[in-house]
Amino acid sequence: MEEEYFPALVAYKHALDEQPSLTAARLSRSLALIKLELYESALTELQIVLDSKNLHINDKQEALYRSAQAHYGEGRYKEALDMFQECAILVDTFQEAQSGIQRCKKRIVEQMDGIFDWNTLFEETISCRNELDVANFVGPIKIAPLPYRGGGRGIVATRNITAGELLLVARPFAATNQGRDQPNTREKTDVSALARLEVLHQCILKLSMGSDDITRGFLDLYAGNETSHSSDTISRTKEARNNFDRDIDLARIKAVCSLNSFGLDDNHVRPTSVQHENRTMPDFRAALYILPSYFNHACASNANRIFFGSLMVLRASKSIAHGAEVTISYQSNEETYQKRKQVLQQWFLECDCSLCTQDRAAGDTRLLQRESLIKRSKSPGLDISELFDIIQKLDTSYAATHGSFRPALAFAHRRMARELESMSQYPSNTILLQRSIQHYIFALEAWEIKVIDRSVEGRNINADSLPIAKTVAPYRSDICGATCMVIFRAFSSLHDELRAEKWLRAAIWVESVTTGGDIHVLKLRYAELIAELDEQACSVLKKIEASP
């Protein structure tokens, strides 16, 4: 798109230099600026048109409509609404203005109240629509100085927050779309060189013609200890902005992009396989966000991010007290301590989160043993006795004081559960299937989910309560949600409708606190599993779907 519109900007500039009163050229230039998401510059051009004397009604309509588009693109939906309404008054048959009015009203609700149509967003994302028409939202968080961070800044809670609560919805400042042949990346900056270069290119273009507020917001991001900038470099006239006449601190821009670009991680919404770890990648590979870049790192973070295309959504994974810091993990907390430490070297020497503190306390011997066992657990052709041995040894590789988050153990339990499930050929071997369910439950517990009801048989259960506590929203919603769904399927196969219903409701709860979706999203995400459900399981699903 840039290749198409950028030369047009130059051509229209030359035309306007020769004859500034060319309204058609100025309107066309404003359209090119909007297509390049240079909204402030577009508004400058459009205001010149609207201030013109004896402006033809068609030109006024076009200038108002494009001004509304530019305000909309900037996220100023109330201003856009006023412009669209003025358009509709000027020409009452202008359907595009009426459509714009309705879209603005939806965006205002999203921006002010954090109310989103998550089901629709999920559908649009899995249909490969990369640019979602949605507003930014900032929940109960703010940027604050953090003395214990060496005088740096971070994000803190402005009130008490519960697990699963929506904290932030952020559209990217710059994002890149790559082909599907790029490697899978999870870390905050573990992106391909091509993707990094494309993000840098977009940032330079936006900063060369963007507003001073946009530029200041970008340059205030962390750029390492070796770079600095002065606010004197970001003030300039609107005329200079529209003519690309600005001094750009390229070294700082490169540093900001390098340390703040997010590589796509596994937490992107898509249909999930329950048999394999789904690694299907959406079309974008890297993006840079302004406010999300202020979150500091903790491997054991208290907030999780999930991507709808290039739209980042952050929710609390645990209860967060008023004034406490809100953190995210810059890289996969499923990795071994040594791998996490290696990735994090670009920001700091040592992570002080509870997970890393516990791993260091375990000692090098245990860590090396665990790493060896992880490799062994991924070997093909392991039988039940070998998996059992791995699980026992993995368990001892964690110190007694280690917290419940033990992802290596979770993966081993899941593999054991799948093997037992396959051997059970359910429902013919009840004991093996029940043992499979137990290992799926052990896996959830190793993902830090507190399981309240671990029973696999008997009628003395509370049918109205969830089998899991609502204290932790899982880091890997796809794996934990899929695990709940498999347990639901297994209990259905055992004709245990009460437990099947409880675990299906658990899967729906996991969906709600991670993607915001309900049973509609759950059916889309686990369509593969649902298509294979027996009649008993389908009846439970329909019952839950029909309930309020």
Side-chain angles (χ1 to χ4, degrees), residues 5-15 17 29 244:
Y5 289 106
F6 194 82
L9 285 182
V10 177
Y12 292 133
K13 177 183 178 299
H14 289 321
D17 286 343
R29 179 174 165 84
F244 300 91

Side-chain angles (χ1 to χ4, degrees), residues 149 186-190 222 225 259 295-301 305 327-357 359-360:
R149 290 285 188 182
R186 301 203 68 250
E187 286 73 30
K188 182 179 178 184
T189 61
D190 182 14
Y222 178 67
N225 297 323
L259 292 171
F295 284 90
N296 287 314
H297 166 81
C299 299
S301 62
R305 65 181 179 268
T327 57
I328 62 174
S329 181
Y330 288 0
Q331 46 91 57
S332 171
N333 58 13
E334 305 159 23
E335 299 290 352
T336 63
Y337 172 75
Q338 288 299 332
K339 175 63 184 296
R340 299 198 312 269
K341 182 178 179 180
Q342 179 183 356
V343 171
L344 294 170
Q345 289 292 310
Q346 58 191 306
W347 291 286
F348 40 76
L349 293 177
E350 190 171 85
C351 177
D352 60 359
C353 79
S354 59
L355 182 62
C356 288
T357 301
D359 280 342
R360 284 193 293 270

Side-chain angles (χ1 to χ4, degrees), residues 2 51 180 295 314 320 352 361 387 428 447 458 466 503 529:
E2 292 174 14
D51 289 342
R180 294 181 180 271
F295 284 90
L314 278 92
I320 305 172
D352 60 359
L387 285 171
S428 59
W447 279 109
L466 291 182
W503 281 99
L529 179 146

Side-chain angles (χ1 to χ4, degrees), residues 172-277:
F173 179 82
T176 180
N177 293 300
Q178 298 290 331
R180 294 181 180 271
D181 58 344
Q182 295 294 317
N184 183 6
T185 60
R186 301 203 68 250
E187 286 73 30
K188 182 179 178 184
T189 61
D190 182 14
V191 295
S192 70
L194 180 61
R196 192 190 299 274
L197 184 63
E198 195 166 333
V199 168
L200 175 63
H201 171 72
Q202 288 190 26
C203 288
I204 291 173
L205 179 61
K206 283 195 172 185
L207 295 171
S208 66
M209 298 187 71
S211 69
D212 290 347
D213 286 343
I214 288 176
T215 305
R216 186 175 291 106
F218 178 92
L219 293 178
D220 276 346
L221 296 179
Y222 178 67
N225 297 323
E226 304 301 322
T227 60
S228 62
H229 78 282
S230 169
S231 59
D232 294 339
T233 64
I234 63 174
S235 179
R236 73 258 163 86
T237 65
K238 291 182 178 180
E239 181 181 0
R241 182 169 67 231
N242 277 10
N243 292 332
F244 300 91
D245 186 11
R246 168 183 245 172
D247 291 331
I248 293 179
D249 187 347
L250 185 58
R252 183 171 184 86
I253 294 173
K254 289 174 67 176
V256 168
C257 288
S258 175
L259 292 171
N260 294 280
S261 293
F262 284 80
L264 177 66
D265 70 9
D266 286 329
N267 281 345
H268 55 272
V269 296
R270 80 285 194 210
T272 300
S273 169
V274 299
Q275 295 298 328
H276 308 285
E277 305 307 331

Side-chain angles (χ1 to χ4, degrees), residues 57 82 101 275 279 315 322 324 392 425 440 548:
I57 187 172
D82 291 341
I101 290 170
Q275 295 298 328
R279 301 286 177 172
R315 293 178 181 273
H322 183 192
Q392 282 191 313
Q425 297 181 346
Y440 277 125

